[in-house]
Amino acid sequence: MAELVLCTGLDPDDPESVTLVVTAAEGRTPGEDAVARLGAYGYEGDGCLYFVRTDGWAERRLDGELLTVDIVAYPAVLKGLEADADRFPERSAADPEALRLLRVSARVSPGTYARAADSTAVLTTPAGTPAEEVVAEARSGGSRPLILAPRPE
Protein backbone atom coordinates (compact mmCIF):
# COMPACT_ATOMS: atom_id res chain seq x y z
CA MET A 1 0.00 0.00 0.00
CA ALA A 2 1.29 3.47 -0.87
CA GLU A 3 2.45 5.48 2.11
CA LEU A 4 3.10 9.13 2.85
CA VAL A 5 5.80 10.29 5.29
CA LEU A 6 7.62 13.47 6.25
CA CYS A 7 11.32 12.91 6.83
CA THR A 8 14.71 14.56 7.03
CA GLY A 9 18.05 13.46 5.65
CA LEU A 10 17.19 12.96 1.97
CA ASP A 11 18.83 16.14 0.71
CA PRO A 12 22.61 15.70 1.09
CA ASP A 13 23.11 19.47 0.74
CA ASP A 14 20.65 20.19 3.57
CA PRO A 15 20.23 17.08 5.77
CA GLU A 16 17.89 18.89 8.19
CA SER A 17 15.42 19.87 5.45
CA VAL A 18 12.01 18.19 5.58
CA THR A 19 10.93 16.16 2.56
CA LEU A 20 7.47 14.83 1.81
CA VAL A 21 7.83 11.27 0.50
CA VAL A 22 5.27 9.03 -1.20
CA THR A 23 6.19 5.37 -1.51
CA ALA A 24 4.63 3.28 -4.28
CA ALA A 25 5.07 -0.37 -5.27
CA GLU A 26 4.81 -1.75 -8.78
CA GLY A 27 2.15 -4.41 -9.23
CA ARG A 28 -0.03 -3.52 -6.21
CA THR A 29 -2.75 -1.32 -7.69
CA PRO A 30 -3.05 0.41 -11.06
CA GLY A 31 -2.32 3.75 -9.37
CA GLU A 32 0.74 2.59 -7.46
CA ASP A 33 2.01 0.79 -10.52
CA ALA A 34 1.69 3.90 -12.70
CA VAL A 35 3.32 6.16 -10.10
CA ALA A 36 6.15 3.69 -9.50
CA ARG A 37 6.85 3.67 -13.23
CA LEU A 38 6.81 7.48 -13.68
CA GLY A 39 10.58 7.48 -13.21
CA ALA A 40 10.86 6.35 -16.83
CA TYR A 41 9.90 9.93 -17.70
CA GLY A 42 12.20 11.58 -15.18
CA TYR A 43 15.36 13.38 -16.17
CA GLU A 44 18.49 12.91 -14.10
CA GLY A 45 19.55 15.48 -11.56
CA ASP A 46 21.75 15.52 -8.48
CA GLY A 47 21.12 12.02 -7.16
CA CYS A 48 17.47 12.06 -8.19
CA LEU A 49 15.09 12.13 -11.12
CA TYR A 50 12.89 15.12 -11.93
CA PHE A 51 9.43 14.80 -13.44
CA VAL A 52 8.55 17.61 -15.82
CA ARG A 53 5.62 19.63 -14.52
CA THR A 54 4.09 19.79 -18.00
CA ASP A 55 3.62 15.99 -17.74
CA GLY A 56 2.33 15.78 -14.17
CA TRP A 57 2.72 17.00 -10.59
CA ALA A 58 1.76 16.49 -6.94
CA GLU A 59 -1.23 18.30 -5.43
CA ARG A 60 -1.13 18.64 -1.64
CA ARG A 61 -3.79 19.63 0.90
CA LEU A 62 -3.52 19.90 4.67
CA ASP A 63 -6.76 19.78 6.66
CA GLY A 64 -5.85 20.03 10.33
CA GLU A 65 -3.40 17.15 10.74
CA LEU A 66 -4.59 15.19 7.68
CA LEU A 67 -2.29 15.64 4.70
CA THR A 68 -3.54 14.38 1.34
CA VAL A 69 -1.37 14.12 -1.75
CA ASP A 70 -2.71 13.47 -5.24
CA ILE A 71 -0.24 12.49 -7.94
CA VAL A 72 -1.56 13.44 -11.36
CA ALA A 73 -0.40 13.12 -14.95
CA TYR A 74 -1.72 13.72 -18.43
CA PRO A 75 -3.11 10.79 -20.47
CA ALA A 76 -0.17 10.93 -22.91
CA VAL A 77 2.16 9.93 -20.07
CA LEU A 78 0.01 6.90 -19.31
CA LYS A 79 0.08 5.91 -22.95
CA GLY A 80 3.89 5.86 -22.78
CA LEU A 81 3.72 3.72 -19.64
CA GLU A 82 1.32 1.36 -21.41
CA ALA A 83 -1.24 2.06 -18.68
CA ASP A 84 -4.94 2.21 -19.48
CA ALA A 85 -6.18 5.78 -18.90
CA ASP A 86 -9.71 4.41 -18.43
CA ARG A 87 -8.55 2.97 -15.09
CA PHE A 88 -8.11 6.53 -13.79
CA PRO A 89 -11.50 8.25 -13.84
CA GLU A 90 -10.64 10.86 -11.18
CA ARG A 91 -9.30 14.22 -12.35
CA SER A 92 -6.83 16.77 -11.05
CA ALA A 93 -8.22 19.61 -8.96
CA ALA A 94 -6.02 22.05 -10.93
CA ASP A 95 -6.60 20.79 -14.48
CA PRO A 96 -9.48 18.51 -15.50
CA GLU A 97 -7.41 17.18 -18.40
CA ALA A 98 -4.93 15.57 -15.98
CA LEU A 99 -5.77 12.22 -14.38
CA ARG A 100 -5.35 11.43 -10.70
CA LEU A 101 -3.13 8.37 -10.55
CA LEU A 102 -2.85 8.01 -6.79
CA ARG A 103 -4.20 9.59 -3.60
CA VAL A 104 -2.34 9.06 -0.35
CA SER A 105 -3.19 10.50 3.07
CA ALA A 106 -1.52 10.51 6.47
CA ARG A 107 -1.68 12.37 9.75
CA VAL A 108 1.26 14.74 10.12
CA SER A 109 2.45 17.50 12.40
CA PRO A 110 1.35 20.80 10.81
CA GLY A 111 4.54 22.42 12.15
CA THR A 112 6.76 19.84 10.47
CA TYR A 113 4.74 20.04 7.26
CA ALA A 114 5.18 23.83 7.22
CA ARG A 115 8.97 23.25 7.01
CA ALA A 116 8.68 20.79 4.09
CA ALA A 117 9.97 21.64 0.64
CA ASP A 118 7.37 22.42 -2.04
CA SER A 119 8.33 19.35 -4.05
CA THR A 120 7.23 15.78 -3.33
CA ALA A 121 9.60 12.81 -3.58
CA VAL A 122 8.38 9.44 -4.85
CA LEU A 123 10.29 6.32 -3.86
CA THR A 124 9.54 3.01 -5.52
CA THR A 125 9.41 0.07 -3.15
CA PRO A 126 8.92 -3.68 -3.30
CA ALA A 127 5.38 -4.56 -2.21
CA GLY A 128 5.10 -4.86 1.55
CA THR A 129 8.23 -2.85 2.40
CA PRO A 130 7.54 -0.26 5.12
CA ALA A 131 8.12 3.37 4.14
CA GLU A 132 10.74 3.77 6.89
CA GLU A 133 12.93 1.10 5.25
CA VAL A 134 12.55 2.69 1.82
CA VAL A 135 13.48 6.12 3.19
CA ALA A 136 16.49 4.67 5.03
CA GLU A 137 17.71 3.11 1.78
CA ALA A 138 17.30 6.44 -0.04
CA ARG A 139 19.21 8.25 2.72
CA SER A 140 22.14 5.89 2.21
CA GLY A 141 22.09 6.53 -1.55
CA GLY A 142 20.61 3.14 -2.38
CA SER A 143 17.73 4.53 -4.42
CA ARG A 144 16.99 7.73 -6.31
CA PRO A 145 13.75 9.58 -5.64
CA LEU A 146 11.56 10.95 -8.40
CA ILE A 147 10.88 14.62 -7.62
CA LEU A 148 7.44 16.01 -8.44
CA ALA A 149 6.90 19.76 -8.44
CA PRO A 150 3.72 21.39 -7.14
CA ARG A 151 0.87 21.89 -9.58
CA PRO A 152 1.37 24.54 -12.27
CA GLU A 153 -0.14 27.95 -11.55
Side-chain angles (χ1 to χ4, degrees), residues 65-111:
E65 293 182 345
L66 183 64
L67 176 62
T68 301
V69 176
D70 290 342
I71 297 178
V72 301
Y74 288 106
V77 171
L78 293 179
K79 205 177 280 186
L81 296 175
E82 298 180 3
D84 183 2
D86 291 337
R87 298 190 81 167
F88 303 98
E90 301 296 324
R91 302 297 174 146
S92 159
D95 182 348
E97 295 297 316
L99 307 175
R100 184 176 78 205
L101 305 180
L102 184 66
R103 174 172 279 173
V104 184
S105 296
R107 297 223 171 265
V108 300
S109 160

Coordinates of all heavy atoms in Angstrom, one line a residue, residues 65-111:
E65 N -4.6 18.0 10.8 CA -3.4 17.1 10.7 C -3.4 16.1 9.6 O -2.5 15.3 9.5 CB -3.3 16.4 12.1 CG -3.0 17.3 13.2 CD -2.8 16.5 14.5 OE1 -3.2 15.3 14.6 OE2 -2.3 17.1 15.5
L66 N -4.5 16.2 8.8 CA -4.6 15.2 7.7 C -4.0 15.8 6.4 O -4.6 16.7 5.8 CB -6.0 14.8 7.5 CG -6.3 13.7 6.4 CD1 -5.6 12.4 6.8 CD2 -7.7 13.5 6.1
L67 N -2.9 15.2 5.9 CA -2.3 15.6 4.7 C -2.7 14.7 3.6 O -2.6 13.4 3.8 CB -0.8 15.6 4.9 CG 0.0 16.0 3.6 CD1 -0.3 17.4 3.1 CD2 1.5 15.8 3.9
T68 N -3.2 15.2 2.5 CA -3.5 14.4 1.3 C -2.7 14.8 0.1 O -2.6 16.0 -0.1 CB -5.0 14.5 1.0 OG1 -5.8 14.1 2.2 CG2 -5.5 13.7 -0.2
V69 N -2.2 13.9 -0.6 CA -1.4 14.1 -1.7 C -2.0 13.4 -2.9 O -2.2 12.2 -2.8 CB 0.1 13.7 -1.6 CG1 0.9 13.9 -2.9 CG2 0.8 14.5 -0.4
D70 N -2.3 14.1 -4.0 CA -2.7 13.5 -5.2 C -1.6 13.6 -6.2 O -1.0 14.7 -6.4 CB -3.9 14.2 -5.8 CG -5.2 14.0 -5.0 OD1 -5.2 13.1 -4.2 OD2 -6.1 14.8 -5.2
I71 N -1.2 12.5 -6.9 CA -0.2 12.5 -7.9 C -1.0 12.4 -9.2 O -1.8 11.4 -9.4 CB 0.8 11.4 -7.8 CG1 1.5 11.6 -6.5 CG2 1.7 11.3 -9.0 CD1 2.5 10.5 -6.1
V72 N -0.8 13.4 -10.1 CA -1.6 13.4 -11.4 C -0.6 13.5 -12.6 O 0.5 13.9 -12.4 CB -2.5 14.7 -11.4 CG1 -3.5 14.6 -10.2 CG2 -1.7 16.0 -11.3
A73 N -1.2 13.1 -13.7 CA -0.4 13.1 -15.0 C -1.4 13.2 -16.1 O -2.6 12.8 -16.0 CB 0.5 11.9 -15.1
Y74 N -0.9 13.6 -17.2 CA -1.7 13.7 -18.4 C -1.8 12.3 -19.1 O -0.9 11.5 -19.0 CB -1.2 14.8 -19.4 CG -1.4 16.2 -18.9 CD1 -0.3 16.9 -18.4 CD2 -2.6 16.7 -18.9 CE1 -0.5 18.2 -17.9 CE2 -2.8 18.0 -18.4 CZ -1.8 18.7 -17.9 OH -2.0 20.0 -17.5
P75 N -2.9 12.1 -19.8 CA -3.1 10.8 -20.5 C -2.0 10.4 -21.4 O -1.7 9.2 -21.5 CB -4.4 11.0 -21.3 CG -5.2 12.1 -20.5 CD -4.1 13.0 -20.0
A76 N -1.3 11.3 -22.0 CA -0.2 10.9 -22.9 C 0.9 10.2 -22.1 O 1.6 9.3 -22.7 CB 0.4 12.2 -23.6
V77 N 1.1 10.6 -20.9 CA 2.2 9.9 -20.1 C 1.8 8.5 -19.8 O 2.6 7.6 -19.9 CB 2.3 10.7 -18.7 CG1 3.2 9.9 -17.8 CG2 2.9 12.0 -19.0
L78 N 0.5 8.3 -19.5 CA 0.0 6.9 -19.3 C 0.2 6.0 -20.6 O 0.5 4.9 -20.5 CB -1.4 6.9 -18.8 CG -1.7 7.5 -17.5 CD1 -3.2 7.5 -17.1 CD2 -0.9 6.8 -16.4
K79 N -0.1 6.6 -21.7 CA 0.1 5.9 -23.0 C 1.5 5.4 -23.1 O 1.8 4.3 -23.4 CB -0.3 6.8 -24.1 CG -0.7 6.1 -25.4 CD -1.1 7.1 -26.5 CE -2.5 7.6 -26.2 NZ -3.0 8.4 -27.3
G80 N 2.5 6.2 -22.7 CA 3.9 5.9 -22.8 C 4.2 4.8 -21.8 O 5.2 4.0 -22.0
L81 N 3.5 4.7 -20.7 CA 3.7 3.7 -19.6 C 2.9 2.4 -19.9 O 3.0 1.5 -19.2 CB 3.3 4.2 -18.3 CG 4.1 5.4 -17.7 CD1 3.4 5.9 -16.4 CD2 5.5 5.1 -17.5
E82 N 2.2 2.5 -21.0 CA 1.3 1.4 -21.4 C 0.3 1.1 -20.3 O 0.0 -0.1 -20.0 CB 2.1 0.1 -21.8 CG 3.0 0.4 -23.0 CD 3.8 -0.9 -23.4 OE1 3.7 -1.9 -22.8 OE2 4.6 -0.7 -24.3
A83 N -0.2 2.2 -19.7 CA -1.2 2.1 -18.7 C -2.5 2.5 -19.3 O -2.6 3.5 -20.1 CB -0.9 2.9 -17.5
D84 N -3.6 1.9 -18.9 CA -4.9 2.2 -19.5 C -5.5 3.4 -18.8 O -5.9 3.4 -17.6 CB -5.9 1.0 -19.3 CG -7.2 1.2 -19.9 OD1 -7.5 2.3 -20.5 OD2 -8.1 0.3 -19.8
A85 N -5.7 4.5 -19.5 CA -6.2 5.8 -18.9 C -7.6 5.6 -18.4 O -8.0 6.3 -17.5 CB -6.1 6.9 -19.9
D86 N -8.3 4.7 -18.9 CA -9.7 4.4 -18.4 C -9.7 3.9 -17.0 O -10.8 4.0 -16.3 CB -10.4 3.4 -19.3 CG -10.7 4.0 -20.7 OD1 -10.8 5.2 -20.8 OD2 -10.9 3.2 -21.6
R87 N -8.6 3.4 -16.5 CA -8.6 3.0 -15.1 C -8.4 4.1 -14.1 O -8.3 3.9 -12.9 CB -7.4 2.0 -14.9 CG -7.6 0.7 -15.8 CD -6.7 -0.3 -15.5 NE -7.1 -1.0 -14.3 CZ -6.7 -2.2 -13.9 NH1 -5.7 -2.7 -14.5 NH2 -7.1 -2.7 -12.8
F88 N -8.3 5.4 -14.6 CA -8.1 6.5 -13.8 C -9.2 7.6 -14.1 O -8.9 8.6 -14.7 CB -6.7 7.1 -14.0 CG -5.6 6.1 -13.8 CD1 -5.0 5.4 -14.9 CD2 -5.2 5.8 -12.5 CE1 -4.1 4.5 -14.6 CE2 -4.2 4.9 -12.3 CZ -3.6 4.2 -13.3
P89 N -10.4 7.3 -13.5 CA -11.5 8.2 -13.8 C -11.5 9.6 -13.1 O -12.1 10.5 -13.5 CB -12.7 7.4 -13.4 CG -12.2 6.5 -12.4 CD -10.8 6.2 -12.8
E90 N -10.7 9.6 -12.0 CA -10.6 10.9 -11.2 C -9.7 11.9 -11.8 O -8.7 11.5 -12.5 CB -10.2 10.6 -9.8 CG -11.0 9.6 -9.0 CD -12.4 10.1 -8.8 OE1 -12.6 11.3 -8.5 OE2 -13.4 9.3 -8.8
R91 N -10.0 13.1 -11.7 CA -9.3 14.2 -12.4 C -8.6 15.1 -11.3 O -8.9 15.1 -10.2 CB -10.3 15.1 -13.2 CG -11.0 14.4 -14.2 CD -10.1 13.8 -15.2 NE -10.8 13.0 -16.2 CZ -10.5 12.9 -17.5 NH1 -9.5 13.5 -17.9 NH2 -11.1 12.1 -18.3
S92 N -7.6 15.8 -11.9 CA -6.8 16.8 -11.0 C -7.7 17.9 -10.6 O -8.6 18.4 -11.4 CB -5.7 17.3 -11.9 OG -5.2 18.5 -11.4
A93 N -7.5 18.4 -9.4 CA -8.2 19.6 -9.0 C -7.8 20.9 -9.7 O -8.6 21.8 -9.9 CB -8.0 19.8 -7.5
A94 N -6.6 20.9 -10.2 CA -6.0 22.0 -10.9 C -6.3 22.1 -12.4 O -6.4 23.1 -13.0 CB -4.5 22.1 -10.7
D95 N -6.4 20.9 -13.0 CA -6.6 20.8 -14.5 C -7.4 19.5 -14.8 O -6.9 18.4 -14.6 CB -5.2 20.7 -15.2 CG -5.3 20.7 -16.7 OD1 -6.4 20.5 -17.2 OD2 -4.3 20.8 -17.3
P96 N -8.6 19.7 -15.2 CA -9.5 18.5 -15.5 C -9.0 17.6 -16.6 O -9.5 16.5 -16.8 CB -10.9 19.1 -15.8 CG -10.6 20.5 -16.2 CD -9.3 20.9 -15.5
E97 N -8.0 18.0 -17.4 CA -7.4 17.2 -18.4 C -6.4 16.2 -17.8 O -6.2 15.1 -18.4 CB -6.7 18.0 -19.4 CG -7.6 18.9 -20.2 CD -8.6 18.2 -21.1 OE1 -8.2 17.2 -21.7 OE2 -9.8 18.6 -21.0
A98 N -5.9 16.5 -16.6 CA -4.9 15.6 -16.0 C -5.7 14.5 -15.1 O -6.7 14.9 -14.5 CB -4.0 16.4 -15.1
L99 N -5.2 13.3 -15.1 CA -5.8 12.2 -14.4 C -5.1 12.0 -13.0 O -3.9 12.1 -12.9 CB -5.6 10.9 -15.2 CG -6.1 11.0 -16.6 CD1 -5.8 9.7 -17.3 CD2 -7.6 11.3 -16.7
R100 N -5.9 11.8 -12.0 CA -5.4 11.4 -10.7 C -4.9 10.0 -10.7 O -5.8 9.1 -10.9 CB -6.4 11.7 -9.6 CG -5.7 11.4 -8.2 CD -6.6 11.8 -7.1 NE -7.6 10.7 -6.9 CZ -8.8 10.8 -6.4 NH1 -9.2 12.0 -6.0 NH2 -9.6 9.8 -6.2
L101 N -3.7 9.7 -10.5 CA -3.1 8.4 -10.5 C -3.2 7.7 -9.2 O -3.4 6.5 -9.0 CB -1.7 8.3 -11.0 CG -1.4 9.0 -12.4 CD1 0.1 8.9 -12.7 CD2 -2.2 8.4 -13.5
L102 N -3.0 8.6 -8.1 CA -2.9 8.0 -6.8 C -3.2 9.1 -5.8 O -2.8 10.3 -6.0 CB -1.4 7.5 -6.5 CG -1.1 6.8 -5.2 CD1 -1.8 5.5 -5.1 CD2 0.4 6.6 -5.1
R103 N -3.9 8.7 -4.7 CA -4.2 9.6 -3.6 C -3.7 8.9 -2.4 O -4.0 7.7 -2.1 CB -5.7 9.9 -3.5 CG -6.0 10.7 -2.2 CD -7.4 11.1 -2.1 NE -7.5 12.3 -3.0 CZ -8.7 12.9 -3.2 NH1 -9.8 12.4 -2.8 NH2 -8.7 14.0 -4.0
V104 N -2.9 9.6 -1.6 CA -2.3 9.1 -0.3 C -2.6 10.1 0.8 O -2.4 11.3 0.5 CB -0.8 8.8 -0.5 CG1 -0.3 8.1 0.7 CG2 -0.5 7.9 -1.7
S105 N -3.0 9.6 1.9 CA -3.2 10.5 3.1 C -2.5 10.0 4.3 O -2.3 8.8 4.4 CB -4.7 10.6 3.4 OG -5.4 11.2 2.3
A106 N -2.1 10.9 5.2 CA -1.5 10.5 6.5 C -1.7 11.7 7.4 O -1.8 12.8 7.0 CB 0.0 10.2 6.3
R107 N -1.7 11.3 8.7 CA -1.7 12.4 9.8 C -0.2 12.8 10.0 O 0.7 12.0 10.1 CB -2.2 11.8 11.0 CG -3.7 11.4 10.9 CD -4.5 11.8 12.1 NE -5.9 11.6 11.8 CZ -6.8 12.5 11.3 NH1 -6.3 13.7 11.0 NH2 -8.0 12.2 11.0
V108 N -0.1 14.2 10.0 CA 1.3 14.7 10.1 C 1.2 15.9 11.1 O 0.1 16.4 11.4 CB 1.8 15.2 8.8 CG1 2.0 14.1 7.8 CG2 1.0 16.4 8.2
S109 N 2.3 16.3 11.6 CA 2.4 17.5 12.4 C 2.4 18.7 11.5 O 3.2 18.8 10.6 CB 3.8 17.5 13.2 OG 4.1 18.8 13.6
P110 N 1.4 19.6 11.7 CA 1.4 20.8 10.8 C 2.6 21.6 10.9 O 3.0 22.2 9.9 CB 0.2 21.6 11.4 CG -0.7 20.5 11.9 CD 0.2 19.5 12.5
G111 N 3.3 21.7 12.0 CA 4.5 22.4 12.1 C 5.6 21.8 11.3 O 6.4 22.5 10.6

